[in-house]
Amino acid sequence: MVSTTPLPKQSPSQNSLALLLISLWRMPWVWKITWFYLSVMLFIPTVAMLAKASTAGPAEFWRVATTPIALSAYDVTFVTAFFAAIINGFFGTLVAWVLVRYQFVGKRYIDAIVDLPFALPTAVAGLTLATIYSDKGWIGSLLVPFGIKVSFTRLGVGVAMVFISLPFVIRTVQPVLTELEKEIEEAAWCLGASQWQTFWRVILPPLTPAILTGIALGFSRAVGEYGSIVIIAANMPFKDLIAPVLVFQSLEQYNYEAATVIGTVMLVISLVILFVINLIQAWGRRYDDR
């Protein structure tokens, strides 16, 4: 008679992990590469930062995240980025309209220059903006007589955010505007609608999802901007210090806990913004399907 040793029972969590590993193993190689790349470049760094922040404990996390200097940095960062995104929402739509609806000399070059903030290193952008908006710069010298100082103030932070986030609105609105049929506008005019009524009731509704998406993307980009703002701003607490610079200053002081906590707060807010962007895009797709 042969005696057999019973196999050890696996817990439900072990079974789930085994099923997950088997599913991953049976995936097509395209999926395996995708998951590997996303894990290395996105998921693992995010989890690592959250794990580092969780070591502070809830009470300490709240204390560091809500210090007066941190709250001031959130205010400068998110409020200024919001107004920069709103400004770009208006002027970016205007630029996209001109590029799509008008023919003029040099249109191709202006259309290419729109992408300059994408290609220009942010430090170079900050140096350029700080120079022309300084008290002796080309634009800054014209504003000084009116008591307006741009460089090394919060206004300079806003100018840098407007500069680096402008292409997002233009490039989001431009293709939608190109696909709008001119015949619909002509039909509205034939039915007696004025130009303003045609724009408000015929053109603006299909453009609204693209404009909102561009504003949201520009806002997200402005929130994370560092290179240009650190040059054009004075980086003074309670004045024009933004959250990314505060994170860097904390790292310079070897205060890794504060840097991680503030970074986590920005991460959570950024995730909320991405969620809103997805809602806007889903709303836009439903509008297009009507």
Side-chain angles (χ1 to χ4, degrees), residues 136-168:
K136 297 182 180 179
W138 292 351
I139 300 177
S141 60
L142 301 177
L143 300 175
V144 169
F146 299 98
I148 302 174
K149 184 178 174 61
V150 179
S151 292
F152 312 116
T153 65
R154 183 169 180 173
L155 183 57
V157 176
V159 170
M161 288 182 173
V162 169
F163 176 80
I164 56 96
S165 60
L166 176 62
F168 288 92

Side-chain angles (χ1 to χ4, degrees), residues 76-90:
V76 174
T77 303
F78 292 104
V79 174
T80 309
F82 174 77
F83 283 107
I86 295 299
I87 292 172
N88 277 335
F90 176 78

